[in-house]
Structures are given as structure tokens and as C-alpha cells.
Amino acid sequence: DVKVTQSSRYLVKRTGEKVFLECVQDMDHENMFWYRQDPGLGLRLIYFSYDVKMKEKGDIPEGYSVSREKKERFSLILESASTNQTSMYLCASRGRREAFFGQGTRLTVV
Amino acid sequence: TQLLEQSPQFLSIQEGENLTVYCNSSSVFSSLQWYRQEPGEGPVLLVTVVTGGEVKKLKRLTFQFGDARKDSSLHITAAQPGDTGLYLCAGHRGDGNKLVFGAGTILRVKS
């Protein structure tokens, strides 16, 4: 079974905190993605990475950064969390076409 | 503006009814995928369509890719309460690594 694992299911952080969301995949995929999902807006791409140490901005990168030091791990960083970053965060790993998702992290910033 | 437009946004039907969900774009996609997502979980892949005009069946679900590879549909026959969830279409344009998603269709099947 393919597996994408996100480090936390639920997180509550305070405004201004630095937040790390971790994602690990076991499929040896080169492409990994971070999306956020909000009601009525669908999945919006924050950042993606197509190789180790390589990254590209998605549609909504502001307020986020990423790190890909190893092929299997892709981290999303909120430099200074704000309340408008309260959302469901989904990590995905993609082979040739299909994406496989983690279970999601529900982040609440208070 | 969404690159992939899904309709309807919400659908509430009785068990046993049929339904169709649409995914439309003005852009050509090299492949389209359909995912189903349950509350609190990540999306799970249902199918990938690649060839224009392609039809794929998965039990009571029928997926079709438009001839021009700009649109797709998902038809569910005799819907069951277990079909309840968020259905997402996603496309890969072949000009990069991005996978873009529609906003989704929330389906509720009442028993």
C-alpha cells in the first residue's frame, strides 16, 4: 500500500508562532505538493517540489515556505502564523499522473 | 476563477437515484483524475482518464473524458448512502508538474 503520512491530524497554534507541518511518502516519488483546502475554494496549491532541494511556488505561497532536504520528506513552514491560515492542509505525492494524499492536518491559529 | 469548474456544488438525493457530476474547463488536459474525500480525511483516487472519449467504469460509477480532453463527467447509478462525500476532479496539463483541482461537489445520499 502506498503511503503518505502527515505528522499531525490536528494542531492549534497561536498567532505569530512558527509552525512546521511534516509529510513523508514511501513511494519514491519525485513530485510532492502542499495544498490548503477551504470550503467553497477547493484545493489550492501552496508550493510543490519536483526534486530534492527544488521547489516552486504554487498559487498562494504568501506566508509559507517549504523544505525538501530528502526525497521522501516535504515540510511546510508557516513563518509567523496568522488566523487566516486556519485551514485544512493536505500533502500529496505524485508519480506519473495520480496524486496520493495524506490524511490532512487541521490547523487552527488562535 | 477556477481552471476546472465543477457542477453542481451540492447534491442531496435519495438512495437509489442516479446522478451526474460535471467537470469543465476551457483548457486541454493530458489526463484527468477523480477523487473522493470523506470528512477529516485526504482525497482518495477513484480513476484516471487519459484518452479523449474514454469511458471507465468502477462498479456503479461511470467516468467519461470528453473528446477534446477539456471536460469530464462522473455518473453514479443507484446511489447509496456510502457514496456520500466530496467528489473532486483534478487535471494535469502536461506543461509542468502542477495538478489543479476543481472546487468539488458535495454529495449527500439519504436513506
Side-chain angles (χ1 to χ4, degrees), chain A residues 38-42, chain B residues 2 4-12 19-23 85-88 102-108:
Chain A
D38 301 286
L41 297 176
Chain B
Q2 296 274 4
L4 281 167
E5 297 286 343
Q6 277 189 248
S7 61
Q9 289 186 357
F10 306 98
L11 201 51
S12 181
L19 66 113
T20 303
V21 176
Y22 299 93
C23 177
L86 174 67
Y87 289 82
L88 294 157
T105 295
I106 297 173
L107 172 65
R108 182 180 168 216

Side-chain angles (χ1 to χ4, degrees), chain A residues 24-38:
Chain A
V24 177
Q25 53 102 356
D26 65 357
M27 294 164 283
D28 202 36
H29 286 161
E30 290 174 348
N31 298 300
M32 295 187 74
F33 304 79
W34 276 105
Y35 293 88
R36 64 177 281 179
Q37 184 175 31
D38 301 286

Side-chain angles (χ1 to χ4, degrees), chain B residues 29-95:
Chain B
F29 288 89
S30 57
S31 67
L32 264 173
Q33 291 95 46
W34 285 92
Y35 295 82
R36 180 170 165 266
Q37 184 179 18
E38 297 192 27
E41 301 292 332
V44 175
L45 178 70
L46 294 173
V47 78
T48 298
V49 286
V50 178
T51 307
E54 182 177 3
V55 177
K56 279 191 175 177
K57 292 198 174 193
L58 190 67
K59 296 183 182 177
R60 294 176 293 100
L61 278 60
T62 302
F63 304 86
Q64 188 161 6
F65 200 13
D67 292 339
R69 290 185 291 134
K70 293 182 179 181
D71 55 84
S72 182
S73 64
L74 157 61
H75 182 79
I76 301 179
T77 303
Q80 304 293 312
D83 296 327
T84 292
L86 174 67
Y87 289 82
L88 294 157
C89 68
H92 179 223
R93 289 178 59 181
D95 60 350

Side-chain angles (χ1 to χ4, degrees), chain A residues 35-93:
Chain A
Y35 293 88
R36 64 177 281 179
Q37 184 175 31
D38 301 286
L41 297 176
L43 275 71
R44 292 182 292 167
L45 182 63
I46 304 171
Y47 266 98
F48 68 100
S49 169
Y50 51 90
D51 203 349
V52 175
K53 297 191 187 292
M54 306 304 286
K55 60 186 179 185
E56 278 199 31
K57 292 180 181 179
D59 300 317
I60 51 164
E62 297 78 19
Y64 303 95
S65 62
V66 290
S67 173
R68 186 118 180 251
E69 295 297 318
K70 292 184 178 181
K71 193 174 187 180
E72 67 269 19
R73 187 179 297 270
F74 191 34
S75 303
L76 178 70
I77 303 150
L78 285 67
E79 297 292 341
S80 177
S82 63
T83 54
N84 64 13
Q85 291 178 310
T86 291
S87 186
M88 174 73 141
Y89 289 87
L90 290 162
C91 171
S93 170

